[in-house]
Amino acid sequence: MSAIALVGAQWGDEGKGKTIDILASKADMVVRAQGGSNAGHTVVVGDVTYKLHLIPSGILYPDTVCVIGNGTVISPGVILKEMETLTERGISLKNLKIDARAHVILPYHVEIDKLSELMRGKGDIGTTKNGIGPCYMDKAERTGIRMCDFINPEVFREKLKFNLEIKNKIITAVYGGTALDFDAVYKEYCDYAARLAPFVCDTSVLVYEAIKADKDVLFEGAQGALLDLDVGTYPYVTSSHPTAGGFCVGAGIGPTLIKDVLGVGKAYTTRVGKGPFPTELDDETGERIRTVGAEFGTTTGRPRRCGWLDILILKFAVRVNGLTALAINKLDTLTGIEKLKICVAYEKNGQRIHDFPTDISELEGCKPVYIELDGWKEDITGVKSFDELPAAAKAYIECIEKESGCPVKMVGVGPDREQNLFR
Ligand code: GDP
Ligand code: IMO
Ligand code: MG
């Protein structure tokens, strides 16, 4: 019984793909359980870079079973493109499994995502416009189309007809957009369905049996704790549950089957999309982190907002996920910055705040209280063990550990799967 869950501990893009790929070398199964192609997980192997959106980052190992669980939302065109790209690179898809209950993102979801963002104007969320929110809305409304419906042409036709009639009314009358043509959508998507059908099965059984048989199972989180629909910085969140609890619902297994929860964070903080960000750096240091860390979205290419590390966020991630360890990536990006800051509390109206606020209006006006640490100048990208790091870099990681109350077990010093220090 050795399932390990890996979650993003900040606002996403913490290097989960890289960390999963490293751990997957010893795993029998890697499972995605929430989100969809809004995720962009990068794996670097030598001079080859893989950008994965829906397919679990364990796919690079030929014997690892890769599961896309019932809690995900699947864009057929996007996943098929991803599958093609992997096949062209010689990666086998023989172990890819898609749950029959996963919901399908259809063109009207993407259209409504774009149109509703446009209508919100300055109050937009800054979504990836992949149709994620509208697809989860249909799931909650119980009108969604699941993989099991999708791969049955008759059931799909009926459900698509019913949905498209309503969605076209919304698209045209509410948003002033252009109606979608049933025949064109049906034809295109029936072709996708036929290509995906061989991968569809009940993955809850597979995951359960693997864990029961004492196989090494890894759950790959997408997004991050602060993007969680319930506990994140609502409404600037995604529409699923990127926190550890999301794995149970989204993979169809119970909480007693997960042993450890590893939170992946960066040595600083980033965020794409709108919403509050107390330690954001709107200055040269922020620009430097963005440039050196190549902080541009894997899915949308948008520049990521950058800022100092925020301990209140890591403590929040420890609490809401029950983290048993942290992996801190991108320590190398901070090399050369003379003085580094870590936020250990907020100050508002003369009061110190130690827990990340529940509501974004409470966050407004919160000023970060920083501690300052010495930086280091040495190139750390070739370092092979934690002990070899410069004293200041070690002290930085030890400070994260002490302030967050969670052991740091892995440290990233570069994007390659080799550039990782175990502790
Ligand atoms: P994910 O969504 O959490 O999987 O993260 P992304 O792949 O969207 O973004 C993380 C970026 O940082 C990718 O470009 C990774 O290749 C890169 N990366 C991961 N770990 C490290 C690290 O330790 N150092 C550096 N320099 N880059 C890293
Ligand atoms: P990975 O798995 C960073 C953000 C979007 C937006 C909000 C809602 O690569 O860490 P959505 O399209 O989900 O409705 O957008 O969530 N977002 C992410 N930010 N990393 C991600 O995934 C994200 N997935 C969604 O930018 O602010
Ligand atoms: Mg990403």
Side-chain angles (χ1 to χ4, degrees):
M1 299 269 281
S2 49
I4 296 177
L6 181 146
V7 290
Q10 293 156 330
W11 271 296
D13 302 326
E14 300 91 347
K16 297 177 294 293
K18 174 201 160 180
T19 306
I20 278 282
D21 168 70
I22 293 166
L23 299 176
S25 67
K26 293 197 187 79
D28 298 295
M29 182 181 272
V30 180
V31 185
R32 271 281 304 269
Q34 44 73 227
S37 53
N38 48 350
H41 296 177
T42 317
V43 179
V44 180
V45 186
D47 51 13
V48 187
T49 299
Y50 300 89
K51 289 181 190 290
L52 299 159
H53 298 285
L54 272 155
I55 297 181
S57 304
I59 198 73
L60 305 185
Y61 299 96
D63 296 324
T64 305
V65 178
C66 284
V67 168
I68 303 179
N70 58 270
T72 59
V73 285
I74 299 175
S75 310
V78 176
I79 194 171
L80 284 163
K81 182 102 208 71
E82 204 169 316
M83 287 161 74
E84 259 170 46
T85 311
L86 289 168
T87 309
E88 280 163 11
R89 290 169 155 193
I91 307 294
S92 165
L93 299 173
K94 71 176 182 345
N95 288 324
L96 181 65
K97 312 284 174 193
I98 302 173
D99 195 84
R101 287 157 293 209
H103 279 246
V104 180
I105 297 184
L106 288 146
Y108 47 81
H109 294 128
V110 178
E111 203 52 31
I112 292 173
D113 197 356
K114 288 181 189 157
L115 291 167
S116 61
E117 280 284 88
L118 205 64
M119 192 172 259
R120 284 186 192 111
K122 282 202 173 121
D124 65 340
I125 290 162
T127 74
T128 60
K129 300 192 175 74
N130 275 244
I132 306 294
C135 185
Y136 278 117
M137 279 164 71
D138 280 4
K139 175 177 176 170
E141 202 189 6
R142 292 147 296 171
T143 55
I145 297 179
R146 306 196 291 174
M147 284 308 288
C148 51
D149 309 320
F150 183 53
I151 60 174
N152 178 330
E154 285 319 307
V155 177
F156 178 46
R157 172 189 283 278
E158 204 179 300
K159 289 192 182 267
L160 181 67
K161 201 147 206 117
F162 175 82
N163 275 305
L164 198 54
E165 216 163 283
I166 300 168
K167 300 301 177 187
N168 272 340
K169 283 188 187 149
I170 296 173
I171 290 171
T172 54
V174 178
Y175 295 113
T178 312
L180 297 162
D181 178 60
F182 171 82
D183 289 329
V185 176
Y186 184 65
K187 188 170 176 298
E188 181 185 349
Y189 278 71
C190 270
D191 173 55
Y192 294 154
R195 290 160 66 194
L196 289 173
F199 299 92
V200 178
C201 61
D202 182 348
T203 64
S204 160
V205 172
L206 295 182
V207 176
Y208 181 73
E209 285 180 350
I211 297 174
K212 281 299 203 193
D214 237 349
K215 304 257 190 217
D216 283 318
V217 177
L218 267 178
F219 290 96
E220 173 175 357
Q223 290 83 50
L226 285 174
L227 289 172
D228 185 280
L229 180 60
D230 264 72
V231 294
T233 43
Y234 191 90
Y236 300 99
V237 292
T238 191
S239 302
S240 67
H241 295 291
T243 41
F247 291 119
C248 296
V249 182
I253 51 119
T256 50
L257 300 177
I258 298 177
K259 189 172 126 248
D260 283 309
V261 188
L262 175 67
V264 184
K266 276 194 245 214
Y268 47 94
T269 313
T270 65
R271 166 160 220 187
V272 256
K274 301 275 187 82
F277 181 173
T279 63
E280 184 167 14
L281 288 166
D282 222 351
D283 61 7
E284 263 174 37
T285 310
E287 195 51 49
R288 178 192 173 129
I289 292 174
R290 181 158 38 249
T291 310
V292 177
E295 293 295 355
F296 295 88
T298 312
T299 300
T300 57
R302 289 177 291 177
R304 294 176 182 148
R305 300 156 64 191
C306 299
W308 295 120
L309 187 81
D310 188 333
I311 289 294
L312 283 82
I313 293 177
L314 290 186
K315 274 171 40 188
F316 163 84
V318 169
R319 167 164 52 89
V320 299
N321 292 297
L323 296 187
T324 50
L326 277 167
I328 298 294
N329 282 323
K330 303 194 96 157
L331 188 64
D332 54 303
T333 301
L334 298 180
T335 299
I337 301 177
E338 210 171 311
K339 292 282 178 196
L340 299 168
K341 288 184 182 178
I342 293 181
C343 168
V344 290
Y346 299 148
E347 208 160 62
K348 186 173 173 176
N349 303 329
Q351 302 272 345
R352 284 275 164 117
I353 297 168
H354 295 278
D355 289 308
F356 194 81
T358 53
D359 175 21
I360 58 167
S361 68
E362 283 179 56
L363 260 178
E364 264 165 40
C366 275
K367 295 246 171 331
V369 178
Y370 289 114
I371 50 171
E372 205 174 72
L373 284 87
D374 288 334
W376 58 92
K377 290 200 179 92
E378 301 89 330
D379 177 6
I380 58 170
T381 56
V383 163
K384 295 288 174 217
S385 74
F386 186 77
D387 288 339
E388 278 175 55
L389 283 173
K394 277 194 268 195
Y396 189 79
I397 294 293
E398 282 156 3
C399 176
I400 295 176
E401 199 164 59
K402 177 172 153 266
E403 295 290 339
S404 69
C406 189
V408 177
K409 294 274 176 77
M410 291 165 81
V411 178
V413 291
D416 197 274
R417 50 159 80 137
E418 301 296 327
Q419 291 172 302
N420 179 69
L421 315 174
F422 282 99
R423 293 180 77 208

Short mmCIF file of all heavy atoms in Angstrom, two decimals, residues 156-182:
data_model
loop_
_atom_site.label_atom_id
_atom_site.label_comp_id
_atom_site.label_asym_id
_atom_site.label_seq_id
_atom_site.Cartn_x
_atom_site.Cartn_y
_atom_site.Cartn_z
N PHE A 156 -24.07 9.65 -27.89
CA PHE A 156 -23.40 10.93 -28.11
C PHE A 156 -24.29 11.86 -28.94
O PHE A 156 -24.47 13.03 -28.61
CB PHE A 156 -22.03 10.71 -28.76
CG PHE A 156 -21.29 11.98 -29.07
CD1 PHE A 156 -21.19 13.01 -28.14
CD2 PHE A 156 -20.66 12.15 -30.31
CE1 PHE A 156 -20.51 14.19 -28.42
CE2 PHE A 156 -19.98 13.33 -30.61
CZ PHE A 156 -19.91 14.35 -29.67
N ARG A 157 -24.87 11.32 -30.02
CA ARG A 157 -25.72 12.14 -30.90
C ARG A 157 -26.86 12.78 -30.10
O ARG A 157 -27.10 13.98 -30.16
CB ARG A 157 -26.31 11.26 -32.02
CG ARG A 157 -27.36 11.98 -32.88
CD ARG A 157 -28.06 11.01 -33.80
NE ARG A 157 -27.23 10.66 -34.94
CZ ARG A 157 -27.11 11.41 -36.04
NH1 ARG A 157 -27.78 12.53 -36.14
NH2 ARG A 157 -26.33 11.04 -37.02
N GLU A 158 -27.52 11.95 -29.31
CA GLU A 158 -28.67 12.41 -28.54
C GLU A 158 -28.28 13.49 -27.53
O GLU A 158 -28.90 14.55 -27.43
CB GLU A 158 -29.23 11.20 -27.80
CG GLU A 158 -30.68 11.29 -27.42
CD GLU A 158 -31.09 10.00 -26.72
OE1 GLU A 158 -30.98 8.92 -27.35
OE2 GLU A 158 -31.46 10.11 -25.54
N LYS A 159 -27.20 13.22 -26.80
CA LYS A 159 -26.77 14.17 -25.76
C LYS A 159 -26.23 15.45 -26.38
O LYS A 159 -26.44 16.54 -25.85
CB LYS A 159 -25.73 13.52 -24.84
CG LYS A 159 -26.33 12.45 -23.95
CD LYS A 159 -25.38 12.01 -22.85
CE LYS A 159 -25.99 10.90 -22.03
NZ LYS A 159 -26.71 11.34 -20.84
N LEU A 160 -25.51 15.31 -27.48
CA LEU A 160 -24.96 16.50 -28.13
C LEU A 160 -26.10 17.38 -28.66
O LEU A 160 -26.05 18.60 -28.52
CB LEU A 160 -24.01 16.09 -29.27
CG LEU A 160 -23.35 17.27 -30.01
CD1 LEU A 160 -22.37 18.02 -29.10
CD2 LEU A 160 -22.61 16.79 -31.26
N LYS A 161 -27.09 16.74 -29.25
CA LYS A 161 -28.24 17.48 -29.81
C LYS A 161 -28.91 18.30 -28.71
O LYS A 161 -29.14 19.50 -28.85
CB LYS A 161 -29.23 16.48 -30.42
CG LYS A 161 -30.11 17.15 -31.41
CD LYS A 161 -30.54 16.29 -32.58
CE LYS A 161 -30.84 17.22 -33.74
NZ LYS A 161 -30.04 17.09 -34.87
N PHE A 162 -29.20 17.63 -27.60
CA PHE A 162 -29.87 18.28 -26.47
C PHE A 162 -29.03 19.46 -25.95
O PHE A 162 -29.53 20.57 -25.78
CB PHE A 162 -30.09 17.24 -25.36
CG PHE A 162 -30.66 17.81 -24.09
CD1 PHE A 162 -32.04 18.03 -23.98
CD2 PHE A 162 -29.83 18.15 -23.03
CE1 PHE A 162 -32.56 18.57 -22.81
CE2 PHE A 162 -30.36 18.70 -21.87
CZ PHE A 162 -31.73 18.90 -21.75
N ASN A 163 -27.74 19.20 -25.75
CA ASN A 163 -26.86 20.24 -25.18
C ASN A 163 -26.65 21.40 -26.15
O ASN A 163 -26.70 22.55 -25.76
CB ASN A 163 -25.50 19.64 -24.83
CG ASN A 163 -25.52 19.01 -23.46
OD1 ASN A 163 -25.88 19.64 -22.47
ND2 ASN A 163 -25.17 17.75 -23.38
N LEU A 164 -26.39 21.05 -27.41
CA LEU A 164 -26.04 22.11 -28.36
C LEU A 164 -27.19 23.09 -28.56
O LEU A 164 -26.96 24.29 -28.74
CB LEU A 164 -25.59 21.49 -29.69
CG LEU A 164 -24.79 22.42 -30.60
CD1 LEU A 164 -23.58 23.01 -29.89
CD2 LEU A 164 -24.32 21.69 -31.85
N GLU A 165 -28.40 22.58 -28.52
CA GLU A 165 -29.56 23.46 -28.68
C GLU A 165 -29.57 24.54 -27.59
O GLU A 165 -29.74 25.72 -27.86
CB GLU A 165 -30.83 22.62 -28.57
CG GLU A 165 -31.93 23.09 -29.51
CD GLU A 165 -32.97 22.01 -29.66
OE1 GLU A 165 -32.74 21.02 -30.40
OE2 GLU A 165 -34.01 22.14 -28.99
N ILE A 166 -29.33 24.11 -26.36
CA ILE A 166 -29.32 25.07 -25.24
C ILE A 166 -28.08 25.97 -25.32
O ILE A 166 -28.16 27.18 -25.16
CB ILE A 166 -29.34 24.30 -23.90
CG1 ILE A 166 -30.62 23.46 -23.82
CG2 ILE A 166 -29.26 25.27 -22.72
CD1 ILE A 166 -30.63 22.46 -22.68
N LYS A 167 -26.92 25.34 -25.58
CA LYS A 167 -25.67 26.13 -25.59
C LYS A 167 -25.70 27.17 -26.70
O LYS A 167 -25.20 28.29 -26.51
CB LYS A 167 -24.45 25.22 -25.78
CG LYS A 167 -24.27 24.17 -24.71
CD LYS A 167 -24.13 24.75 -23.32
CE LYS A 167 -24.03 23.62 -22.32
NZ LYS A 167 -24.05 24.06 -20.94
N ASN A 168 -26.28 26.81 -27.86
CA ASN A 168 -26.34 27.80 -28.95
C ASN A 168 -27.20 29.00 -28.55
O ASN A 168 -26.89 30.13 -28.92
CB ASN A 168 -26.87 27.15 -30.23
CG ASN A 168 -25.73 26.53 -31.04
OD1 ASN A 168 -24.56 26.89 -30.85
ND2 ASN A 168 -26.05 25.62 -31.93
N LYS A 169 -28.24 28.73 -27.77
CA LYS A 169 -29.06 29.85 -27.30
C LYS A 169 -28.24 30.76 -26.39
O LYS A 169 -28.30 31.97 -26.45
CB LYS A 169 -30.31 29.33 -26.55
CG LYS A 169 -31.37 28.82 -27.48
CD LYS A 169 -32.64 28.49 -26.73
CE LYS A 169 -33.62 27.82 -27.70
NZ LYS A 169 -34.49 26.86 -27.07
N ILE A 170 -27.47 30.12 -25.51
CA ILE A 170 -26.64 30.90 -24.58
C ILE A 170 -25.58 31.69 -25.37
O ILE A 170 -25.36 32.87 -25.14
CB ILE A 170 -25.99 29.96 -23.53
CG1 ILE A 170 -27.08 29.32 -22.67
CG2 ILE A 170 -24.98 30.73 -22.66
CD1 ILE A 170 -26.59 28.24 -21.71
N ILE A 171 -24.93 30.99 -26.31
CA ILE A 171 -23.85 31.63 -27.08
C ILE A 171 -24.38 32.83 -27.86
O ILE A 171 -23.76 33.91 -27.87
CB ILE A 171 -23.18 30.60 -28.04
CG1 ILE A 171 -22.37 29.58 -27.22
CG2 ILE A 171 -22.30 31.27 -29.07
CD1 ILE A 171 -21.84 28.39 -28.01
N THR A 172 -25.54 32.68 -28.48
CA THR A 172 -26.05 33.78 -29.32
C THR A 172 -26.81 34.83 -28.51
O THR A 172 -26.49 36.01 -28.57
CB THR A 172 -26.96 33.23 -30.44
OG1 THR A 172 -27.99 32.42 -29.84
CG2 THR A 172 -26.17 32.40 -31.44
N ALA A 173 -27.78 34.38 -27.71
CA ALA A 173 -28.65 35.36 -27.03
C ALA A 173 -27.96 36.03 -25.85
O ALA A 173 -28.13 37.22 -25.62
CB ALA A 173 -29.94 34.68 -26.59
N VAL A 174 -27.18 35.28 -25.08
CA VAL A 174 -26.55 35.89 -23.90
C VAL A 174 -25.25 36.61 -24.28
O VAL A 174 -25.00 37.73 -23.85
CB VAL A 174 -26.27 34.81 -22.81
CG1 VAL A 174 -25.56 35.42 -21.60
CG2 VAL A 174 -27.56 34.13 -22.38
N TYR A 175 -24.44 35.93 -25.08
CA TYR A 175 -23.10 36.49 -25.36
C TYR A 175 -22.95 37.15 -26.73
O TYR A 175 -21.90 37.71 -27.02
CB TYR A 175 -22.05 35.38 -25.23
CG TYR A 175 -21.91 34.84 -23.82
CD1 TYR A 175 -22.27 33.53 -23.52
CD2 TYR A 175 -21.41 35.64 -22.79
CE1 TYR A 175 -22.14 33.03 -22.23
CE2 TYR A 175 -21.28 35.15 -21.51
CZ TYR A 175 -21.65 33.84 -21.23
OH TYR A 175 -21.51 33.35 -19.96
N GLY A 176 -23.96 37.02 -27.60
CA GLY A 176 -23.85 37.62 -28.93
C GLY A 176 -22.82 36.92 -29.82
O GLY A 176 -22.27 37.53 -30.73
N GLY A 177 -22.55 35.64 -29.53
CA GLY A 177 -21.59 34.87 -30.33
C GLY A 177 -22.27 34.16 -31.49
O GLY A 177 -23.45 34.37 -31.78
N THR A 178 -21.52 33.30 -32.16
CA THR A 178 -22.03 32.58 -33.33
C THR A 178 -22.36 31.14 -32.97
O THR A 178 -21.53 30.44 -32.35
CB THR A 178 -20.95 32.58 -34.44
OG1 THR A 178 -20.47 33.91 -34.58
CG2 THR A 178 -21.49 32.09 -35.77
N ALA A 179 -23.55 30.70 -33.40
CA ALA A 179 -24.00 29.33 -33.08
C ALA A 179 -23.09 28.29 -33.75
O ALA A 179 -22.51 28.54 -34.81
CB ALA A 179 -25.43 29.15 -33.56
N LEU A 180 -22.96 27.13 -33.11
CA LEU A 180 -22.15 26.04 -33.66
C LEU A 180 -23.06 25.09 -34.44
O LEU A 180 -24.22 24.90 -34.07
CB LEU A 180 -21.46 25.29 -32.53
CG LEU A 180 -20.47 26.11 -31.70
CD1 LEU A 180 -20.18 25.44 -30.37
CD2 LEU A 180 -19.17 26.31 -32.48
N ASP A 181 -22.51 24.50 -35.48
CA ASP A 181 -23.29 23.63 -36.34
C ASP A 181 -23.24 22.18 -35.84
O ASP A 181 -22.16 21.60 -35.69
CB ASP A 181 -22.74 23.72 -37.77
CG ASP A 181 -23.47 22.80 -38.72
OD1 ASP A 181 -24.69 22.97 -38.85
OD2 ASP A 181 -22.84 21.88 -39.27
N PHE A 182 -24.42 21.61 -35.59
CA PHE A 182 -24.47 20.26 -35.02
C PHE A 182 -23.74 19.24 -35.89
O PHE A 182 -22.91 18.48 -35.39
CB PHE A 182 -25.94 19.82 -34.81
CG PHE A 182 -26.04 18.37 -34.42
CD1 PHE A 182 -25.84 17.98 -33.10
CD2 PHE A 182 -26.27 17.38 -35.39
CE1 PHE A 182 -25.90 16.63 -32.75
CE2 PHE A 182 -26.33 16.03 -35.04
CZ PHE A 182 -26.13 15.67 -33.71
#
